[in-house]
Amino acid sequence: MTNEENLKITGKIIAKAWADEGYKARLLADPAAVLAAEGVDLPAGVTFKVVEDTAAVQTLVLPARPADMSDDDLDTAAGGFMCVGPSSCMFSL
């Protein structure tokens, strides 16, 4: 499955969680089961965690640094922005 396909499925999961409190509770309690049921490719041996942002608490995810990425590569990749939902965009400096 491509990254784009996973992002589309993730968007649908977020929309369902916003609309259905029971679904959201299952997603928070057992994200791997919900993601797998929705068709997301889950790598073996990886643990999934879902956290819910609020108006008072926002989550910044710090991804693991790729083992094969040099400091020069990191300098080149820095910058830009990422949107994780329809109203949640993060801009880097």
Side-chain angles (χ1 to χ4, degrees):
M1 182 173 294
T2 68
N3 188 43
E4 184 176 320
E5 291 168 327
N6 273 335
L7 287 174
K8 284 181 183 179
I9 292 172
T10 302
K12 289 179 185 179
I13 291 168
I14 291 168
K16 278 185 175 181
W18 287 343
D20 181 340
E21 287 295 322
Y23 183 85
K24 180 173 79 172
R26 290 190 303 278
L27 179 62
L28 291 167
D30 191 359
V34 173
L35 294 170
E38 293 290 343
V40 176
D41 291 334
L42 304 176
V46 175
T47 300
F48 290 85
K49 182 177 181 181
V50 174
V51 296
E52 182 178 14
D53 286 345
T54 67
V57 177
Q58 298 291 303
T59 305
L60 169 67
V61 176
L62 180 61
R65 178 181 174 163
D68 61 346
M69 186 171 272
S70 71
D71 287 340
D72 287 338
D73 291 337
L74 285 172
D75 287 341
T76 302
F81 71 95
M82 175 181 67
C83 293
V84 294
S87 63
S88 179
C89 292
M90 296 179 287
F91 298 87
S92 65
L93 303 174

XYZ file of all heavy atoms in Angstrom:
673
model
N 0.850 -1.173 0.000
C 0.000 0.000 0.000
C 0.897 1.238 0.000
O 1.867 1.304 0.741
C -0.894 -0.026 1.240
C -1.845 1.127 1.325
S -3.045 0.985 2.675
C -3.982 -0.425 2.146
N 0.537 2.214 -0.800
C 1.346 3.424 -0.890
C 1.090 4.334 0.309
O 0.073 4.202 1.007
C 1.024 4.210 -2.179
O -0.310 4.724 -2.068
C 1.178 3.356 -3.417
N 2.002 5.266 0.513
C 1.837 6.242 1.583
C 0.559 7.050 1.374
O -0.164 7.344 2.320
C 3.067 7.156 1.643
C 3.049 8.050 2.844
O 2.728 7.613 3.944
N 3.384 9.310 2.646
N 0.266 7.397 0.125
C -0.955 8.149 -0.192
C -2.204 7.358 0.196
O -3.157 7.913 0.745
C -0.985 8.509 -1.671
C -2.180 9.372 -2.056
C -2.148 9.794 -3.509
O -1.054 10.121 -4.011
O -3.218 9.784 -4.131
N -2.212 6.064 -0.094
C -3.359 5.222 0.274
C -3.510 5.148 1.787
O -4.633 5.220 2.315
C -3.195 3.825 -0.327
C -3.334 3.798 -1.827
C -2.898 2.481 -2.449
O -1.961 1.829 -1.912
O -3.487 2.107 -3.476
N -2.381 5.000 2.501
C -2.437 4.975 3.962
C -2.959 6.295 4.516
O -3.724 6.313 5.477
C -1.069 4.652 4.565
C -0.835 3.157 4.692
O -1.763 2.373 4.772
N 0.426 2.771 4.701
N -2.565 7.430 3.900
C -3.047 8.728 4.359
C -4.556 8.868 4.146
O -5.256 9.438 4.980
C -2.302 9.855 3.647
C -0.858 10.070 4.082
C -0.182 11.118 3.182
C -0.773 10.488 5.536
N -5.064 8.349 3.035
C -6.508 8.403 2.786
C -7.257 7.586 3.838
O -8.273 8.030 4.377
C -6.831 7.877 1.389
C -6.501 8.848 0.286
C -6.861 8.277 -1.068
C -6.460 9.228 -2.177
N -6.772 8.699 -3.508
N -6.752 6.393 4.125
C -7.394 5.544 5.135
C -7.316 6.211 6.502
O -8.292 6.231 7.253
C -6.747 4.136 5.164
C -7.055 3.387 3.871
C -7.241 3.346 6.373
C -6.307 2.084 3.717
N -6.170 6.807 6.813
C -6.003 7.490 8.090
C -6.997 8.636 8.220
O -7.595 8.832 9.279
C -4.557 8.005 8.239
O -3.660 6.899 8.138
C -4.345 8.679 9.575
N -7.209 9.392 7.151
C -8.196 10.467 7.163
C -9.598 9.950 7.453
O -10.359 10.555 8.210
N -9.953 8.806 6.859
C -11.264 8.202 7.106
C -11.379 7.755 8.562
O -12.436 7.909 9.179
C -11.483 7.010 6.169
C -11.698 7.420 4.735
C -11.876 6.206 3.845
C -11.982 6.610 2.385
N -12.134 5.453 1.496
N -10.291 7.200 9.112
C -10.295 6.763 10.508
C -10.503 7.956 11.430
O -11.297 7.893 12.385
C -8.983 6.011 10.840
C -8.956 4.677 10.097
C -8.821 5.813 12.345
C -7.610 3.980 10.122
N -9.817 9.055 11.165
C -9.976 10.256 11.986
C -11.411 10.767 11.912
O -12.019 11.090 12.941
C -8.970 11.341 11.550
C -7.541 10.908 11.911
C -9.302 12.693 12.193
C -6.450 11.748 11.275
N -11.973 10.824 10.712
C -13.355 11.292 10.554
C -14.325 10.396 11.322
O -15.249 10.886 11.983
C -13.725 11.347 9.074
N -14.123 9.076 11.261
C -14.986 8.149 12.000
C -14.868 8.369 13.498
O -15.862 8.329 14.222
C -14.622 6.693 11.684
C -15.196 6.147 10.426
C -14.830 4.664 10.352
C -15.433 3.963 9.189
N -15.084 2.524 9.168
N -13.636 8.587 13.972
C -13.419 8.800 15.408
C -14.093 10.085 15.879
O -14.614 10.150 16.993
C -11.923 8.821 15.723
N -14.080 11.127 15.031
C -14.757 12.372 15.389
C -16.267 12.187 15.455
O -16.944 12.829 16.246
C -14.425 13.464 14.389
C -13.030 14.007 14.485
C -12.156 13.876 15.522
C -12.357 14.783 13.503
N -10.976 14.523 15.237
C -11.075 15.094 13.999
C -12.709 15.243 12.234
C -10.151 15.843 13.292
C -11.784 15.992 11.531
C -10.522 16.294 12.058
N -16.803 11.306 14.617
C -18.257 11.134 14.511
C -18.818 10.085 15.464
O -20.010 10.116 15.779
C -18.632 10.762 13.078
N -17.987 9.151 15.933
C -18.480 8.002 16.693
C -17.615 7.790 17.934
O -16.479 7.332 17.844
C -18.438 6.771 15.786
C -18.950 5.501 16.428
O -19.011 5.395 17.666
O -19.260 4.562 15.659
N -18.170 8.118 19.106
C -17.415 8.000 20.369
C -16.984 6.561 20.664
O -15.900 6.333 21.194
C -18.238 8.552 21.537
C -18.356 10.057 21.546
C -17.030 10.772 21.772
O -16.201 10.298 22.570
O -16.820 11.823 21.129
N -17.814 5.578 20.317
C -17.448 4.178 20.537
C -16.256 3.769 19.687
O -15.338 3.084 20.155
N -16.267 4.196 18.438
C -15.151 3.910 17.531
C -13.883 4.571 18.054
O -12.809 3.970 18.081
C -15.497 4.419 16.132
C -14.460 4.128 15.074
C -14.440 2.906 14.404
C -13.503 5.083 14.739
C -13.494 2.643 13.425
C -12.555 4.832 13.759
C -12.562 3.613 13.111
O -11.610 3.353 12.139
N -14.008 5.842 18.480
C -12.849 6.555 19.023
C -12.288 5.832 20.241
O -11.071 5.687 20.375
C -13.226 7.985 19.384
C -12.059 8.769 19.962
C -12.386 10.236 20.163
C -13.187 10.454 21.404
N -13.369 11.889 21.723
N -13.171 5.348 21.115
C -12.716 4.623 22.308
C -11.951 3.362 21.920
O -10.903 3.047 22.511
C -13.907 4.281 23.198
N -12.446 2.634 20.913
C -11.734 1.433 20.435
C -10.392 1.806 19.828
O -9.381 1.124 20.041
C -12.593 0.668 19.429
C -13.802 -0.011 20.039
C -14.516 -0.962 19.078
N -14.950 -0.334 17.828
C -16.071 0.381 17.681
N -16.864 0.569 18.718
N -16.389 0.889 16.504
N -10.358 2.896 19.053
C -9.118 3.352 18.429
C -8.076 3.714 19.482
O -6.906 3.349 19.358
C -9.397 4.547 17.519
C -8.205 5.161 16.793
C -7.555 4.159 15.844
C -8.644 6.409 16.034
N -8.494 4.403 20.529
C -7.567 4.778 21.596
C -7.109 3.566 22.399
O -5.957 3.500 22.834
C -8.217 5.819 22.523
C -8.435 7.199 21.904
C -9.369 8.037 22.777
C -7.108 7.913 21.700
N -8.011 2.596 22.600
C -7.687 1.422 23.417
C -6.854 0.386 22.667
O -5.969 -0.250 23.255
C -8.979 0.776 23.926
N -7.131 0.177 21.388
C -6.445 -0.864 20.618
C -6.228 -0.390 19.186
O -6.879 -0.861 18.252
C -7.257 -2.157 20.643
C -6.499 -3.349 20.090
O -5.323 -3.199 19.662
O -7.081 -4.456 20.092
N -5.308 0.565 19.009
C -5.132 1.150 17.672
C -4.749 0.136 16.609
O -5.230 0.232 15.476
C -4.045 2.196 17.868
C -3.499 2.031 19.223
C -4.417 1.169 20.002
N -3.918 -0.835 16.935
C -3.483 -1.798 15.919
C -4.676 -2.575 15.361
O -4.764 -2.780 14.145
C -2.439 -2.748 16.494
N -5.587 -2.981 16.219
C -6.750 -3.737 15.755
C -7.634 -2.887 14.846
O -8.094 -3.350 13.800
C -7.554 -4.259 16.946
N -7.869 -1.649 15.233
C -8.715 -0.764 14.424
C -8.034 -0.449 13.097
O -8.664 -0.510 12.036
C -9.052 0.529 15.197
C -9.786 1.522 14.304
C -9.887 0.205 16.429
N -6.741 -0.128 13.136
C -6.022 0.171 11.900
C -6.026 -1.022 10.951
O -6.263 -0.876 9.754
C -4.593 0.605 12.217
C -4.450 1.930 12.976
C -3.010 2.122 13.438
C -4.915 3.087 12.134
N -5.767 -2.205 11.483
C -5.763 -3.407 10.642
C -7.143 -3.655 10.042
O -7.260 -3.998 8.862
C -5.298 -4.608 11.457
N -8.195 -3.465 10.849
C -9.557 -3.669 10.356
C -9.910 -2.684 9.248
O -10.725 -2.991 8.374
C -10.560 -3.542 11.508
N -9.277 -1.524 9.247
C -9.528 -0.506 8.228
C -8.641 -0.679 6.993
O -8.726 0.081 6.055
C -9.332 0.895 8.806
C -10.356 1.265 9.859
C -11.755 1.471 9.298
O -11.915 1.642 8.080
O -12.699 1.469 10.110
N -7.739 -1.659 7.028
C -6.916 -1.935 5.862
C -5.540 -1.301 5.853
O -4.861 -1.325 4.831
N -5.106 -0.740 6.984
C -3.779 -0.141 7.062
C -2.740 -1.250 7.177
O -2.906 -2.195 7.949
C -3.666 0.815 8.272
C -2.254 1.369 8.403
C -4.678 1.945 8.141
N -1.661 -1.140 6.386
C -0.561 -2.102 6.474
C 0.202 -1.862 7.762
O 0.737 -0.768 7.978
C 0.409 -1.939 5.290
C -0.209 -2.367 3.976
O -1.127 -3.221 3.989
O 0.221 -1.862 2.925
N 0.242 -2.869 8.629
C 0.940 -2.747 9.904
C 2.204 -3.594 9.882
O 2.123 -4.810 9.761
C 0.037 -3.206 11.058
C -1.306 -2.493 11.180
C -2.129 -3.106 12.301
C -1.108 -1.008 11.404
N 3.368 -2.970 9.993
C 4.605 -3.754 10.011
C 4.655 -4.646 11.248
O 4.255 -4.231 12.341
C 5.711 -2.699 10.067
C 5.063 -1.380 9.848
C 3.599 -1.538 10.080
N 5.160 -5.845 11.080
C 5.284 -6.775 12.202
C 6.226 -6.209 13.250
O 7.232 -5.578 12.926
C 5.795 -8.124 11.710
N 5.877 -6.405 14.512
C 6.744 -5.995 15.602
C 6.697 -4.524 15.955
O 7.471 -4.053 16.781
N 5.794 -3.760 15.335
C 5.690 -2.327 15.613
C 4.461 -2.087 16.491
O 3.385 -2.611 16.235
C 5.567 -1.502 14.303
C 5.340 -0.037 14.600
C 6.807 -1.699 13.452
N 4.641 -1.295 17.544
C 3.546 -0.934 18.432
C 2.952 0.387 17.963
O 3.687 1.304 17.604
C 4.062 -0.773 19.877
O 4.632 -2.008 20.303
C 2.947 -0.378 20.828
N 1.644 0.494 17.969
C 0.960 1.716 17.554
C 0.307 2.366 18.757
O -0.249 1.696 19.607
C -0.101 1.406 16.487
C 0.523 1.010 15.182
C 0.896 -0.294 14.949
C 0.762 1.973 14.219
C 1.498 -0.648 13.756
C 1.374 1.622 13.020
C 1.737 0.298 12.795
N 0.399 3.692 18.802
C -0.187 4.470 19.882
C -0.976 5.614 19.268
O -0.496 6.290 18.358
C 0.916 5.013 20.786
C 0.421 5.796 21.966
C 1.587 6.226 22.849
C 1.082 6.998 24.042
N 2.189 7.443 24.901
N -2.183 5.846 19.765
C -3.010 6.960 19.326
C -3.225 7.869 20.530
O -3.573 7.401 21.609
C -4.376 6.470 18.779
C -5.289 7.646 18.458
C -4.173 5.597 17.553
N -2.990 9.155 20.336
C -3.260 10.144 21.374
C -4.227 11.168 20.808
O -4.230 11.431 19.604
C -1.972 10.835 21.889
C -1.059 9.834 22.574
C -1.244 11.538 20.773
N -5.040 11.746 21.663
C -6.031 12.727 21.211
C -5.609 14.120 21.650
O -5.406 14.367 22.841
C -7.404 12.385 21.795
C -8.490 13.310 21.336
C -9.854 12.935 21.868
O -9.957 12.120 22.802
O -10.833 13.484 21.342
N -5.472 15.027 20.698
C -5.186 16.414 21.010
C -6.449 17.082 21.546
O -7.569 16.680 21.226
C -4.723 17.172 19.765
C -3.300 16.829 19.350
O -2.562 16.227 20.151
O -2.925 17.171 18.219
N -6.246 18.106 22.359
C -7.345 18.934 22.850
C -6.971 20.391 22.582
O -5.869 20.679 22.103
C -7.566 18.741 24.358
O -6.428 19.264 25.061
C -7.768 17.271 24.711
N -7.854 21.290 22.918
C -7.535 22.710 22.754
C -6.355 23.103 23.641
O -5.576 23.980 23.292
C -8.752 23.568 23.089
N -6.199 22.425 24.768
C -5.149 22.774 25.724
C -3.886 21.934 25.583
O -2.833 22.310 26.093
C -5.681 22.644 27.149
N -3.979 20.798 24.909
C -2.834 19.897 24.775
C -2.681 19.495 23.316
O -3.603 18.930 22.725
C -3.002 18.615 25.636
C -1.836 17.674 25.422
C -3.154 18.965 27.110
N -1.535 19.818 22.738
C -1.233 19.463 21.356
C -0.033 18.524 21.347
O 0.891 18.700 22.126
C -0.926 20.712 20.530
C -2.092 21.680 20.440
C -3.232 21.139 19.618
O -3.054 20.796 18.464
N -4.410 21.057 20.214
N -0.022 17.559 20.451
C 1.020 16.545 20.378
C 1.965 16.841 19.226
O 1.527 17.082 18.106
C 0.390 15.155 20.169
O -0.567 14.920 21.204
C 1.446 14.069 20.192
N 3.246 16.815 19.506
C 4.271 16.903 18.480
C 4.943 15.540 18.425
O 5.455 15.063 19.431
C 5.311 17.977 18.820
C 6.562 17.979 17.943
C 6.209 18.377 16.515
C 7.611 18.896 18.511
N 4.911 14.909 17.282
C 5.530 13.597 17.122
C 6.938 13.795 16.588
O 7.133 14.421 15.550
C 4.715 12.705 16.168
C 5.418 11.382 15.937
C 3.318 12.497 16.722
N 7.900 13.276 17.308
C 9.292 13.320 16.886
C 9.628 11.952 16.303
O 9.821 10.990 17.032
C 10.206 13.635 18.074
C 11.688 13.710 17.782
C 11.989 14.818 16.773
C 12.455 13.940 19.074
N 9.657 11.844 14.970
C 9.946 10.546 14.355
C 11.369 10.087 14.672
O 12.260 10.908 14.936
C 9.803 10.813 12.854
C 9.073 12.102 12.745
C 9.393 12.884 13.979
N 11.558 8.790 14.622
C 12.894 8.233 14.794
C 13.772 8.700 13.636
O 13.322 8.788 12.497
C 12.828 6.713 14.832
N 15.009 9.006 13.941
C 15.946 9.415 12.894
C 16.331 8.193 12.075
O 16.730 7.165 12.632
C 17.191 10.027 13.526
C 18.240 10.432 12.514
C 19.454 11.014 13.185
N 20.503 11.260 12.213
C 21.540 12.044 12.419
N 21.677 12.642 13.584
N 22.442 12.212 11.489
N 16.223 8.288 10.757
C 16.648 7.163 9.923
C 18.135 6.864 10.149
O 18.963 7.783 10.185
C 16.396 7.651 8.499
C 15.390 8.746 8.641
C 15.663 9.382 9.970
N 18.454 5.615 10.306
C 19.827 5.213 10.603
C 20.790 5.572 9.477
O 21.964 5.831 9.719
C 19.875 3.712 10.873
N 20.294 5.610 8.252
C 21.170 5.857 7.107
C 21.166 7.314 6.640
O 21.622 7.624 5.545
C 20.796 4.938 5.953
C 19.367 5.154 5.470
O 18.588 5.815 6.179
O 19.032 4.654 4.389
N 20.694 8.244 7.486
C 20.627 9.650 7.098
C 21.773 10.420 7.755
O 21.906 10.439 8.969
C 19.289 10.257 7.506
C 19.097 11.677 7.000
S 17.418 12.292 7.276
C 16.635 11.720 5.777
N 22.586 11.078 6.937
C 23.714 11.858 7.436
C 23.235 13.223 7.924
O 22.113 13.644 7.645
C 24.754 12.054 6.330
O 24.247 12.953 5.351
N 24.098 13.936 8.626
C 23.763 15.293 9.061
C 23.506 16.204 7.865
O 22.614 17.059 7.905
C 24.886 15.868 9.929
C 24.927 15.241 11.314
O 23.905 14.665 11.741
O 25.980 15.340 11.976
N 24.260 16.037 6.777
C 24.033 16.829 5.556
C 22.651 16.534 4.971
O 21.947 17.440 4.522
C 25.117 16.555 4.509
C 26.460 17.175 4.883
O 26.480 18.134 5.685
O 27.484 16.693 4.365
N 22.260 15.239 4.979
C 20.924 14.873 4.502
C 19.845 15.540 5.359
O 18.833 16.010 4.841
C 20.728 13.359 4.527
C 21.571 12.625 3.506
O 21.967 13.246 2.497
O 21.850 11.424 3.730
N 20.060 15.555 6.678
C 19.095 16.179 7.577
C 18.965 17.672 7.294
O 17.864 18.219 7.295
C 19.503 15.971 9.038
C 19.261 14.573 9.604
C 19.876 14.451 10.987
C 17.788 14.250 9.649
N 20.097 18.339 7.052
C 20.056 19.767 6.733
C 19.245 20.023 5.468
O 18.481 20.980 5.389
C 21.468 20.323 6.555
C 22.220 20.455 7.865
O 21.566 20.462 8.931
O 23.456 20.544 7.819
N 19.382 19.163 4.488
C 18.659 19.300 3.223
C 17.164 19.065 3.421
O 16.338 19.725 2.802
C 19.206 18.301 2.181
O 20.598 18.556 2.006
C 18.497 18.445 0.852
N 16.808 18.130 4.293
C 15.407 17.749 4.485
C 14.649 18.696 5.410
O 13.426 18.705 5.411
C 15.335 16.331 5.050
N 15.326 19.498 6.200
C 14.661 20.359 7.183
C 13.827 21.437 6.495
O 14.169 21.926 5.436
C 15.702 21.016 8.088
N 12.722 21.790 7.153
C 11.869 22.864 6.650
C 10.578 22.340 6.082
O 10.351 21.139 5.996
N 9.687 23.228 5.757
C 8.406 22.853 5.160
C 7.299 22.799 6.187
O 7.401 23.356 7.261
N 6.221 22.110 5.833
C 5.099 21.982 6.747
C 4.409 20.654 6.533
O 4.609 19.969 5.541
C 4.107 23.142 6.575
C 3.326 23.090 5.295
C 2.075 22.526 5.264
C 3.853 23.619 4.123
C 1.354 22.478 4.079
C 3.135 23.585 2.943
C 1.887 23.014 2.926
N 3.571 20.270 7.520
C 2.843 19.020 7.446
C 1.449 19.253 8.000
O 1.293 19.873 9.049
C 3.548 17.952 8.287
C 2.788 16.651 8.368
S 3.625 15.420 9.384
C 3.503 16.168 10.981
N 0.440 18.775 7.315
C -0.928 18.822 7.813
C -1.331 17.408 8.196
O -1.187 16.476 7.409
C -1.880 19.370 6.761
S -1.587 21.102 6.389
N -1.851 17.254 9.425
C -2.258 15.936 9.887
C -3.773 15.808 9.964
O -4.282 14.763 10.316
C -1.617 15.599 11.247
C -0.121 15.459 11.110
C -1.945 16.661 12.281
N -4.467 16.839 9.665
C -5.909 16.817 9.674
C -6.415 18.066 8.970
O -5.619 18.928 8.587
N -7.711 18.196 8.810
C -8.237 19.324 8.056
C -7.951 20.673 8.701
O -7.936 21.685 8.033
C -9.740 19.062 7.983
C -10.024 18.010 8.951
C -8.755 17.281 9.238
N -7.671 20.712 9.997
C -7.435 22.006 10.632
C -6.157 22.007 11.465
O -5.980 22.844 12.322
C -8.611 22.376 11.526
O -8.728 21.429 12.576
N -5.271 21.069 11.217
C -4.085 20.959 12.053
C -2.824 20.902 11.183
O -2.428 19.833 10.725
C -4.174 19.697 12.915
O -3.026 19.563 13.698
N -2.212 22.049 10.954
C -0.982 22.117 10.176
C 0.147 22.584 11.067
O -0.041 23.420 11.944
C -1.111 23.070 8.994
S -2.244 22.468 7.739
N 1.325 22.015 10.841
C 2.501 22.407 11.599
C 3.528 22.935 10.612
O 3.791 22.312 9.603
C 3.067 21.214 12.351
C 2.130 20.666 13.404
S 2.795 19.239 14.254
C 2.647 18.008 12.973
N 4.102 24.068 10.923
C 5.096 24.683 10.080
C 6.441 24.634 10.788
O 6.513 24.891 11.965
C 4.731 26.143 9.783
C 3.444 26.279 9.036
C 2.240 26.342 9.711
C 3.426 26.293 7.652
C 1.045 26.434 9.023
C 2.253 26.396 6.959
C 1.054 26.471 7.639
N 7.490 24.306 10.067
C 8.811 24.306 10.668
C 9.547 25.580 10.288
O 9.249 26.213 9.290
C 9.611 23.081 10.220
O 9.846 23.136 8.843
N 10.464 25.940 11.131
C 11.237 27.171 10.913
C 12.493 26.893 10.154
O 13.063 25.885 10.201
C 11.565 27.814 12.264
C 10.343 28.133 13.104
C 10.801 28.617 14.476
C 9.485 29.160 12.444
